[in-house]
Amino acid sequence: MGDNDESTQMKKEYGHYTFRKVVFISVSIILVFILFWVSLCVGTRSLSIDQVYSLFWDHVNGIVYPTNSQEWFDDRIVWEYRVPRALFAIIAGVSLAVAGSVMQSVMKNPLADPYTTGVSSGALFGVAVAIVLGLAVGSGGIEGIGVVINAMIFAMVPVVVIVLMAPFFKKSPASLILAGVAVSYLFNSLTSLLLITTDAATLHMVYIWQIGSLADLTWDAIPLTFLITLAGLLIVLPLANKLNLMSLDDKTAKSMGLDVENLRILCLCILSLMATVVISYVGVIGFVGLVVPHIVRLILGSDNKYTLPATAAFGALFLLGCDIISRAIDVSAAIPVGVVTSFVGAPIFLYLIIRQKRTMW
């Protein structure tokens, strides 16, 4: 009887453990859905929920308003600007948050995120090359897809360098992070050299990329970002149990049959690509991949089977919420979302450092 009572108690505790995590994920998803509709109302022209719902429903049903009427302009505002912007914020939040969470697991470092590898610095240098020098790969020049391709190519250069140099570092997490920091400083210096030779207008364009902005997004940015984020999730999520083993000492993980070095390099490449496609369209949005995983671990613990989907949902919620704040603030100039994420994320991160429990890692 004693064994049965103990088994029943353990099942109850595990059920409560699982229920809490499922509730957190479910509530985050519901809040993302709510904030999506709120984001369609906020902007230089404020719209009510009823107006947005009516415009949304009419557009889906193919109703066309008279050209240049107020409803026609509102329909364009909602469908050509606010809907793609909200969708991109959700996708980017998922991508950056999951990338940061997995990066911290495989690197065994709470300060690791995709930008630690030099991805952001490489992408920014690619943008500077396209805008300052006019050297853009592909079609579209500095006004089109050429800047995006440039950013993606140069963002992956640090990853390639780290992968090639990994055997010399014995593929240790600390060495990989230090290599990423070194490459990051190199690209930052090259970007600075380009910027000191350019005019104020061009400098402003590069600056917007440097701090991250969701303004001027169109539907063209959605397909590639969504596909790469989805592909990354389909690869990373099934690896949750292996990522849990990565939190152990490398020797212990190897003794349990895990190929630690190759898994770390694989995750590094996948996560960098996920972050790269976001940076390529909107620039460097900081603190999403750094703060969100810490918040989720503080609430749910460090089991990646639950932490990864929870991080994805909360990352979308965090970035979408920050974007709404950036548009809701009534100032003469629009505030880039990267400024809001830093303003909100920095104090939260300081608080988490103070409250951090070593058991989280």
Side-chain angles (χ1 to χ4, degrees):
M1 290 294 293
D3 291 341
N4 290 334
D5 291 340
E6 184 177 349
S7 175
T8 302
Q9 182 63 26
M10 290 179 63
K11 288 181 179 179
K12 288 183 178 180
E13 290 179 358
Y14 182 76
H16 178 71
Y17 169 86
T18 305
F19 178 75
R20 186 161 56 93
K21 290 168 172 51
V22 173
V23 168
F24 179 86
I25 296 171
S26 301
V27 170
S28 297
I29 294 174
I30 292 172
L31 289 176
V32 168
F33 182 78
I34 294 173
L35 287 188
F36 171 80
W37 288 100
V38 172
S39 70
L40 303 186
C41 302
V42 180
T44 53
R45 171 163 171 73
S46 297
L47 299 171
S48 67
I49 290 290
D50 291 339
Q51 286 177 298
V52 168
Y53 179 79
S54 178
L55 291 167
F56 200 94
W57 183 256
D58 288 348
H59 190 97
V60 170
N61 286 280
I63 297 176
V64 180
Y65 299 110
T67 304
N68 294 330
S69 65
Q70 187 60 61
E71 292 80 5
W72 182 81
F73 281 112
D74 290 343
D75 179 75
R76 285 174 58 86
I77 290 172
V78 170
W79 277 94
E80 294 187 17
Y81 298 100
R82 295 185 183 179
V83 171
R85 179 169 180 165
L87 290 176
F88 192 93
I90 293 172
I91 297 170
V94 170
S95 182
L96 295 176
V98 170
S101 180
V102 177
M103 186 73 72
Q104 290 163 13
S105 295
V106 299
M107 293 295 187
K108 299 183 179 65
N109 190 323
L111 297 179
D113 72 355
Y115 302 142
T116 308
T117 61
V119 168
S120 59
S121 300
L124 186 62
F125 178 68
V127 171
V129 168
I131 296 177
V132 177
L133 301 180
L135 301 176
V137 179
S139 61
I142 64 172
E143 299 296 334
I145 195 66
V147 173
V148 175
I149 296 176
N150 257 38
M152 294 187 69
I153 291 175
F154 283 96
M156 293 307 294
V157 168
V159 180
V160 174
V161 171
I162 292 173
V163 171
L164 293 176
M165 296 179 67
F168 300 99
F169 297 137
K170 297 181 180 179
K171 301 178 182 178
S172 68
S175 298
L176 293 178
I177 291 178
L178 291 175
V181 171
V183 176
S184 178
Y185 274 108
L186 174 62
F187 274 115
N188 284 335
S189 63
L190 293 174
T191 302
S192 299
L193 286 175
L194 288 179
L195 295 184
I196 61 176
T197 63
T198 189
D199 57 90
T202 305
L203 185 62
H204 176 73
M205 293 174 63
V206 178
Y207 172 74
I208 293 299
W209 278 74
Q210 192 170 8
I211 58 178
S213 174
L214 297 179
D216 302 324
L217 273 173
T218 64
W219 285 100
D220 294 337
I222 302 297
L224 181 61
T225 311
F226 174 76
L227 289 176
I228 291 182
T229 300
L230 179 61
L233 291 176
L234 292 177
I235 295 174
V236 170
L237 291 179
L239 297 176
N241 290 329
K242 293 184 177 180
L243 292 175
N244 287 336
L245 293 178
M246 290 286 288
S247 63
L248 304 173
D249 181 77
D250 281 4
K251 292 182 179 178
T252 304
K254 288 179 182 179
S255 67
M256 301 178 73
L258 185 65
D259 190 347
V260 175
E261 292 86 357
N262 288 333
L263 179 60
R264 184 173 289 130
I265 295 299
L266 173 65
C267 290
L268 177 64
C269 294
I270 295 172
L271 303 176
S272 297
L273 183 60
M274 291 172 64
T276 294
V277 70
V278 174
I279 298 170
S280 300
Y281 282 104
V282 298
V284 181
I285 300 177
F287 280 97
V288 178
L290 191 60
V291 170
V292 171
H294 283 280
I295 296 175
V296 173
R297 287 194 190 95
L298 187 64
I299 298 173
L300 301 184
S302 57
D303 185 354
N304 283 292
K305 185 168 62 175
Y306 298 102
T307 299
L308 290 182
T311 299
F314 194 74
L317 178 65
F318 180 81
L319 186 55
L320 186 57
C322 287
D323 183 49
I324 292 174
I325 294 172
S326 71
R327 286 186 284 160
I329 298 176
D330 187 13
V331 294
S332 57
I335 299 178
V337 69
V339 174
V340 178
T341 57
S342 298
F343 187 80
V344 174
I348 293 177
F349 189 61
L350 289 174
Y351 173 76
L352 291 175
I353 291 175
I354 296 173
R355 288 286 307 273
Q356 180 176 322
K357 301 176 181 178
R358 294 188 61 85
T359 53
M360 290 171 59
W361 296 95

